[in-house]
Every structure is written in structure tokens, then in C-alpha cells.
Amino acid sequence: MKIKLRKSVIFLLSVTVLAPIVLYTNTLGAYLASSSSRNEFIEDVSTFTFAGEVRPLNVLPQESSAALKEPLGVVYSENLGDSSSEGSNASSGENAHINRQLAEEDGISSLSNLSSGGNTIRQVTDQEHEVALEKKEEYTRETELIGKVNEAEQNKAKREIGSRRSKGKSERPPERTAVVKDNLGEAGSEKQNERMILPDARIRQLKDQLIQAQLYLSLSVTRTNPQFVRDLRLRMKEVLKVLGDATKDAELPTNALERLKAMDQTLSRGKQLEDDCASSVKKLRAMLHSAEEQLRVHKKQNLFLTHLTAKTVPKGLHCLPLRLSTEYFMLNTSQQRFPNEEKLEDPQLYHYALFSDNVLAAAVVVNSSITHTKDPSKHVFHIVTDRLNFAAMKMWFLANPPGRATIQVQNIEEFTWLNSSYSPVLRQLGSPTMIDYYFKNRHAESDSNIKFRNPKYLSMMNHLRFYLPEIFPKLDKVLFLDDDIVVQRDLTGLWSLNLRGKVIGVVETCGHSFHRFDRYLNFSNPLISKTFSPRACGWAFGMNIFDLNEWRKQNITEVYHKWQNLNHDRLLWKLGTLPPGLITFWNRTFALEKSWHVLGLGYNPNVVQKDIERAAVIHYNGNLKPWLEIGIPKFRNYWAKYVDYDQVYLRECNITP
């Protein structure tokens, strides 16, 4: 009976202990042989799959897979050195205790032989299996070692592991560690950059707090808490006082941080009162929409007022021509004449054409030009103005003669050849539709842009540049100058330029996309699209040298008249002189070097300072003229230094810098 019982126990142990171990080692060896990554190792060996279902090992004590780190029992052991001997001895002692307990319960003394039966296991485990287990045991000991030491000793433990891995026991390549370190370094650098404090960081915080405070005041829930409202308004006043005109944190007072913290505490109370995020978002959107609408309205008002100011004559400039006209009509006939009249038609001299009704602006153009000429006696200035300012213009240059230079002032009313039968633009300017466009309250929607309604477009003075050969029939070359320019360099060299058969010398302005032909012309019209390129480079009126001989030879005036007749209904371009200039002189322009003519001082505050200083001519094109209060302050001195504010007529009209 005892013999049968012993055989039954041995058979049971063989099935429940040895067979799973053999199956485990074979399965593990096959798995490790096919796996290339230690991270894919199956750690939970308390269960195995048999015929599609999971069954536990009956002999080994069971633990949950979440708490189980390693299978109990050491299949293969090796001396790990001092750093891991403690963990190894503990594991071996625990396994020995389990084996003794099993032998006592079953009364089998041969279980100890089974537990130490390394020969049997080694027979069913090949060399590849041993290597795989060695790697797994090494990884296990490393994990236990790192887990047992405290935070201060982790670096030392990792160094020990690294030294062992460098001897060939580690599966992770050293290159990967280096890459990880590099990546960590890059990430650290990025985080450091993100942590860089902006110079106005605290100012932004305070402004954000003000926005939040306004939002809380607009919520209905806060109105039921008057104490919170009072506190919030008090904090807002304190923050506004702290902010003042500061643009950097360094400009804030010393109590700024205290005010920030106090506001933050008050806002925290508001968060407790209002937890409805959807309502807050709705309020913020409404505030944003309202702010955008107000901004749009203010921009529109600003644009209108700017154009209105540009069109309005300041009090001083209105006084000046009246005062000068009074003085002029007090002169006798001989005193009203300019000297050197014989030079007016001499083609060997340098002739300027200036068309203006602004006495002070014309004076600056003449003064700045003469200041930089080497021989003023060879320079002749032809000024054409309207009947209203004719006497004032003559009186200014009679009272302030331009040295040895020659001056001529003409009245446009004296050009009897310039009439509506000859000039289509003059005929159009006097048409009922044009008058209705400017003086009726109801404007065409297609011309909603306010700049197209500038009254200067009604003045024939603006179109005289297209009649230069008629105005100067005996001259070969003329330099045209606008009255809103300042000359900073001698312009004599322009008359000696070879224009190579072109009619006009220009400075091109197509450095930006909005200075090309499609900006000024209507390319939806086939007359325009078939003749011109929308990407053709634009150029600027304001300082242009004209070859009048080529003009006459190529019959440019007739080209201008042809296109003006085609544009009688303003469908090819809107009003102005640049669009017809681009068309009239198409393929007839000679490009000058850009330093001859720098534009934008009347609308662009970001014109490069070096470009201004190197320029022969600077142009205040735009609405912000230097003689107006709305002029850009930093550019005004370039113009003002050619005005003698001590002149008696300027003092009487209170015209000051």
C-alpha cells in the first residue's frame, strides 16, 4: 500500500512539477530564439495556455499577475557580485523554504533531489536556452537593484549597471543611450527657451487681469454680490494706476507685484461665483465682436478725417496767398516782372517744370534745388499755377528771389490752346456726371473708396504734365517736379542721360506687389487685358526727366487723348494721373537708379533712414504732407529746413515749425 502511494505521489509530482517546467523551458527557449527584444519577454509565468485555455500551475503558490514580478524558483544562477548578492540569497532562501515545505507535507524525501535536479533540466535545455535565461536573470537583477536603492543612490546603481553592460551583457546598444541623452538635451534647451521671460510679461498679466475683471462685471451673477463688485472695481483702479504708460516690466512701480497678487485673489473669488464656462465664452465673444466693430468704425472715421485734413487748407497757408496777393497788386508794372527773361527758352540750360497752387510748397522745391546746384545761373524754374494763386506765387519769388537762378510764373488761364475741344480730360472734368460724382451725397458704390473723390482730380493743374511739349515748344528736355518733393542732391546729371529712345526717365516702384499695373488698371476690361500685363512694373510721377523731342516724334499727346476718350465712363481706371501715365508711356520708360527718387514719406513711417539720406529727391506722396499737422513728425524736418520761418509774410500768418 505504501509503495503504491509513493508511486502515485511521484507520478503526480512529475505531472504537476516536472512536466510544466520542461514545457516552460522549451516554450521559453523557442520564444526567446524568435524574439529580438528583451522588452517583449513574458514575465507572468504562473499561467500557460493548454488547448486554448489558461490553467494555473497547481504546485507553485499563486499570486496575482499584477503583483508578480518574476517566477518563483531559480532555474539558473550565477554569482552577481556584491551589489546583487543580497537579492540573490533572498530569492534562493525563499525557494528552498518552499521545497522543504512541500516535502514535509507529502512525506517525500526525494523532492529535495527533484529541486536540485539540475542535470534533468539541463538535459532538456540547450545552450541557447541558458543564454536567454542568463540575459533575463541579469535584467531582473538590474530591475530589483534599481528598485531597492533610494533616489540618492540610483545614479550610482545605474553606473554599475552601465559598467556591466559595457562588458557585453547588455542588449541595449550604447548609441541609443547617446541619442536619448542628445534628445533630452535638445528638449531641455527648448524648455529653457520657452521659460525665457518676456520684457513685458508682467504688463501682459495685468492687462489680462483687467479683461477678466471686465468680464466678471458684465456677468449677471456678480451683480447680486455688491461687495465683490466694489472690490473688483477697486482692484481695477489700482492695476490701471500701476500700468500707467509703462511698456516694459522695468518701468512698473515696485508695488506692481502686490497689485497683481491682490487682483488675482479677487478674481479667484469671481471664479467661485461664476462656474458657467459657456456663459463666459459667450460674453467674451460678444466683447470681441463689439471691439472689432468699434475698431472698424474708428478706422473708417480716421480715413475720412485724414482725407478731409489733406484736402483742407490750413489757416496759415490760406492767409499767406491773401497777404502776398495784396502786396503784389500794390506794385507797379515794372516791379512785377522777373529778370533774365531771355533764358526762358534757351535749350542749353537746365529747365524745371513745377505745377502747383501751394506757394510754400513751391518755395521749398525751388530753394532745395538751388541749394545743391553747382551753378544756379544755368537753372530755370517754370512754375504754372491757377488764377487764384498767380499773384501770390509771383509776389513770393519777387520778394524772395532764388539767387542767380531764373524764375517764370505762368497762369494756366493764359493757355488759350488748352480748352475742352482739344483736351478730353478737361471736357470730362466739366461734365455733369463728374460734378454729380463729387458734389452729390449719393455716390456710386463702385467708387466707395474715398481717395478717388479727392478734389485735386478736378483740377487741370494735375493733368498739365501730359502737355509739356505744348507748354515748352522750344525746349528739348524738361525735368518735372511735384510740389511735395525735396531735392537733396544736384540734379544736373539727369539732363545728360541717354534715354535710348525712351520718352520719360522713371524710378520703378514694383518692389511690392501693390505697385504693379493690376493695382491701377481694370484688367477685367478687354481693352486693358489685351494690351498690358497685370504684373508689369509701376513707376512714380514726382521726379521725371522728359525727352520732348522723342515725345513729339512718337506723338505721345495723341496717345494720351485716345485713352482718355476710351475712359470717358471711368471703366478702364479711376481718377488720377498715374493710371493714364502708365498707359500713355507704356514701353516708353527709361529706368533710373532708385536713389534718384525715394517715395513714401507722406504715408509710410517705415521708410529706411539710409535710403532717405542717400536719395537725390525725397517725395512726400500720400496724405501726410509735411506742411500739415498730420505729417509724419520724423520726416518733417527734411522739408522744414528749407523754409525761412523768419520771413515777414510767414510771421504775419503765424506759420511756424
Side-chain angles (χ1 to χ4, degrees), residues 11-27:
F11 175 78
L12 179 61
L13 287 175
S14 299
V15 172
T16 57
V17 178
L18 183 58
I21 292 176
V22 174
L23 178 61
Y24 163 71
T25 53
N26 288 337
T27 304

Side-chain angles (χ1 to χ4, degrees), residues 244-384:
D245 297 328
T247 57
K248 298 180 180 179
D249 290 352
E251 299 173 1
L252 292 173
T254 55
N255 63 339
L257 182 59
E258 297 178 4
R259 297 291 180 246
L260 189 148
K261 291 180 178 179
M263 174 63 91
D264 192 52
Q265 293 176 356
T266 306
L267 292 175
S268 298
R269 291 166 53 194
K271 292 178 183 178
Q272 298 172 359
L273 295 174
E274 178 59 55
D275 293 329
D276 187 359
C277 294
S279 175
S280 301
V281 170
K282 186 176 180 180
K283 288 284 186 180
L284 283 173
R285 286 178 177 172
M287 291 171 62
L288 179 62
H289 178 74
S290 175
E292 289 177 345
E293 183 64 20
Q294 290 180 11
L295 178 62
R296 187 188 65 80
V297 171
H298 288 318
K299 282 184 175 180
K300 189 174 181 179
Q301 291 177 348
N302 179 66
L303 180 63
F304 172 77
L305 293 175
T306 300
H307 281 275
L308 181 63
T309 305
K311 293 183 289 185
T312 304
V313 179
K315 184 178 179 180
L317 293 183
H318 181 70
C319 163
L320 183 61
L322 295 177
R323 182 72 180 85
L324 289 169
S325 297
T326 303
E327 291 290 328
Y328 177 78
F329 290 115
M330 294 176 65
L331 301 176
N332 57 45
T333 306
S334 61
Q335 292 175 322
Q336 293 176 353
R337 300 176 67 91
F338 289 106
N340 305 322
E341 290 185 358
E342 69 280 0
K343 295 183 177 181
L344 297 179
E345 296 181 346
D346 186 353
Q348 302 299 321
L349 301 178
Y350 307 117
H351 295 266
Y352 301 82
L354 176 61
F355 310 138
S356 175
D357 57 0
N358 188 325
V359 175
L360 195 59
V364 169
V365 174
V366 174
N367 290 347
S368 61
S369 300
I370 295 174
T371 300
H372 297 94
T373 57
K374 296 178 181 178
D375 188 359
S377 63
K378 295 183 179 180
H379 295 260
V380 182
F381 293 87
H382 304 269
I383 301 174
V384 180

Side-chain angles (χ1 to χ4, degrees), residues 51-332:
E53 66 179 34
V54 179
R55 297 178 182 176
L57 296 179
N58 297 323
V59 177
L60 299 179
Q62 299 301 304
E63 297 182 18
S64 64
S65 59
L68 190 60
K69 296 182 179 179
E70 281 296 319
L72 297 177
V74 178
V75 177
Y76 182 81
S77 62
E78 178 180 293
N79 293 333
L80 298 177
D82 297 336
S83 61
S84 60
S85 60
E86 183 179 351
S88 176
N89 293 337
S91 178
S92 300
E94 184 179 359
N95 294 332
H97 173 71
I98 293 172
N99 292 337
R100 286 195 301 271
Q101 185 178 0
L102 289 173
E104 290 174 359
E105 290 177 353
D106 294 325
I108 302 174
S109 60
S110 61
L111 182 59
S112 60
N113 296 330
L114 178 62
S115 300
S116 60
N119 293 332
T120 305
I121 296 176
R122 289 188 181 91
Q123 289 175 1
V124 295
T125 306
D126 56 9
Q127 186 64 27
E128 183 181 36
H129 173 210
E130 294 178 0
V131 174
L133 286 179
E134 178 184 357
K135 292 179 179 179
K136 184 180 186 309
E137 288 297 324
E138 178 68 15
Y139 179 71
T140 302
R141 287 190 294 272
E142 291 173 1
T143 305
E144 292 178 352
L145 177 62
I146 294 175
K148 290 182 179 180
V149 295
N150 55 30
E151 265 185 278
E153 295 177 347
Q154 280 188 7
N155 292 334
K156 180 179 178 181
K158 289 179 180 179
R159 285 196 298 270
E160 293 176 1
I161 294 169
S163 64
R164 289 200 302 274
R165 288 181 176 179
S166 63
K167 296 179 182 179
K169 294 186 178 182
S170 173
E171 293 182 9
R172 183 176 297 174
E175 291 79 13
R176 182 177 178 182
T177 304
V179 172
V180 171
K181 289 182 178 178
D182 291 342
N183 292 337
L184 288 175
E186 293 176 3
S189 177
E190 291 178 1
K191 289 182 179 179
Q192 186 175 2
N193 292 336
E194 291 176 359
R195 291 172 186 160
M196 291 178 63
I197 300 176
L198 297 173
D200 60 344
R202 186 160 295 172
I203 290 178
R204 295 188 181 192
Q205 282 183 278
L206 292 169
K207 290 181 178 179
D208 288 344
Q209 287 182 336
L210 288 175
I211 295 174
Q212 294 181 47
Q214 286 181 327
L215 174 62
Y216 281 126
L217 289 177
S218 67
L219 297 176
S220 58
V221 68
T222 58
R223 295 169 190 164
T224 60
N225 193 330
Q227 182 61 39
F228 172 72
V229 173
R230 285 194 295 271
D231 293 345
L232 192 59
R233 293 187 184 276
L234 177 62
R235 297 290 177 261
M236 290 176 68
K237 290 181 181 179
E238 293 175 349
V239 170
L240 287 171
K241 185 177 180 180
V242 165
L243 280 174
D245 297 328
T247 57
K248 298 180 180 179
D249 290 352
E251 299 173 1
L252 292 173
T254 55
N255 63 339
L257 182 59
E258 297 178 4
R259 297 291 180 246
L260 189 148
K261 291 180 178 179
M263 174 63 91
D264 192 52
Q265 293 176 356
T266 306
L267 292 175
S268 298
R269 291 166 53 194
K271 292 178 183 178
Q272 298 172 359
L273 295 174
E274 178 59 55
D275 293 329
D276 187 359
C277 294
S279 175
S280 301
V281 170
K282 186 176 180 180
K283 288 284 186 180
L284 283 173
R285 286 178 177 172
M287 291 171 62
L288 179 62
H289 178 74
S290 175
E292 289 177 345
E293 183 64 20
Q294 290 180 11
L295 178 62
R296 187 188 65 80
V297 171
H298 288 318
K299 282 184 175 180
K300 189 174 181 179
Q301 291 177 348
N302 179 66
L303 180 63
F304 172 77
L305 293 175
T306 300
H307 281 275
L308 181 63
T309 305
K311 293 183 289 185
T312 304
V313 179
K315 184 178 179 180
L317 293 183
H318 181 70
C319 163
L320 183 61
L322 295 177
R323 182 72 180 85
L324 289 169
S325 297
T326 303
E327 291 290 328
Y328 177 78
F329 290 115
M330 294 176 65
L331 301 176
N332 57 45

Side-chain angles (χ1 to χ4, degrees), residues 295-504:
L295 178 62
R296 187 188 65 80
V297 171
H298 288 318
K299 282 184 175 180
K300 189 174 181 179
Q301 291 177 348
N302 179 66
L303 180 63
F304 172 77
L305 293 175
T306 300
H307 281 275
L308 181 63
T309 305
K311 293 183 289 185
T312 304
V313 179
K315 184 178 179 180
L317 293 183
H318 181 70
C319 163
L320 183 61
L322 295 177
R323 182 72 180 85
L324 289 169
S325 297
T326 303
E327 291 290 328
Y328 177 78
F329 290 115
M330 294 176 65
L331 301 176
N332 57 45
T333 306
S334 61
Q335 292 175 322
Q336 293 176 353
R337 300 176 67 91
F338 289 106
N340 305 322
E341 290 185 358
E342 69 280 0
K343 295 183 177 181
L344 297 179
E345 296 181 346
D346 186 353
Q348 302 299 321
L349 301 178
Y350 307 117
H351 295 266
Y352 301 82
L354 176 61
F355 310 138
S356 175
D357 57 0
N358 188 325
V359 175
L360 195 59
V364 169
V365 174
V366 174
N367 290 347
S368 61
S369 300
I370 295 174
T371 300
H372 297 94
T373 57
K374 296 178 181 178
D375 188 359
S377 63
K378 295 183 179 180
H379 295 260
V380 182
F381 293 87
H382 304 269
I383 301 174
V384 180
T385 188
D386 56 13
R387 179 175 55 185
L388 186 63
N389 293 282
F390 174 70
M393 193 74 73
K394 288 195 71 173
M395 187 63 208
W396 176 268
F397 288 104
L398 287 170
N400 302 276
R404 295 182 295 160
T406 301
I407 288 287
Q408 180 190 29
V409 178
Q410 296 176 278
N411 183 359
I412 190 174
E413 302 293 337
E414 297 175 357
F415 298 154
T416 57
W417 50 268
L418 187 61
N419 50 60
S420 58
S421 61
Y422 175 68
S423 172
V425 68
L426 188 61
R427 185 166 58 251
Q428 293 168 10
L429 291 176
S431 66
T433 56
M434 189 68 69
I435 294 174
D436 180 75
Y437 175 75
Y438 274 101
F439 296 103
K440 295 291 183 181
N441 291 329
R442 179 173 49 83
H443 298 300
E445 294 183 1
S446 59
D447 293 339
S448 59
N449 195 329
I450 191 173
K451 74 176 183 179
F452 294 128
R453 302 193 189 103
N454 196 324
K456 73 177 182 179
Y457 297 130
L458 282 174
S459 173
M460 192 60 196
M461 294 284 298
N462 206 38
H463 296 266
L464 276 180
R465 64 196 70 189
F466 294 102
Y467 296 99
L468 290 174
E470 288 81 2
I471 299 173
F472 309 111
K474 296 184 179 181
L475 299 182
D476 298 330
K477 283 188 176 182
V478 168
L479 181 63
F480 169 76
L481 298 176
D482 260 342
D483 63 356
D484 56 353
I485 64 102
V486 173
V487 179
Q488 300 186 130
R489 210 168 68 210
D490 187 8
L491 303 179
T492 304
L494 290 171
W495 278 270
S496 60
L497 282 176
N498 181 7
L499 300 183
R500 301 175 184 176
K502 305 297 183 180
V503 177
I504 178 176

Side-chain angles (χ1 to χ4, degrees), residues 517-538:
F517 271 41
D518 58 358
R519 168 71 176 177
Y520 307 101
L521 305 178
N522 179 18
F523 276 87
S524 63
N525 191 299
L527 288 174
I528 297 295
S529 59
K530 292 179 180 179
T531 310
F532 309 102
S533 169
R535 303 303 297 163
C537 190

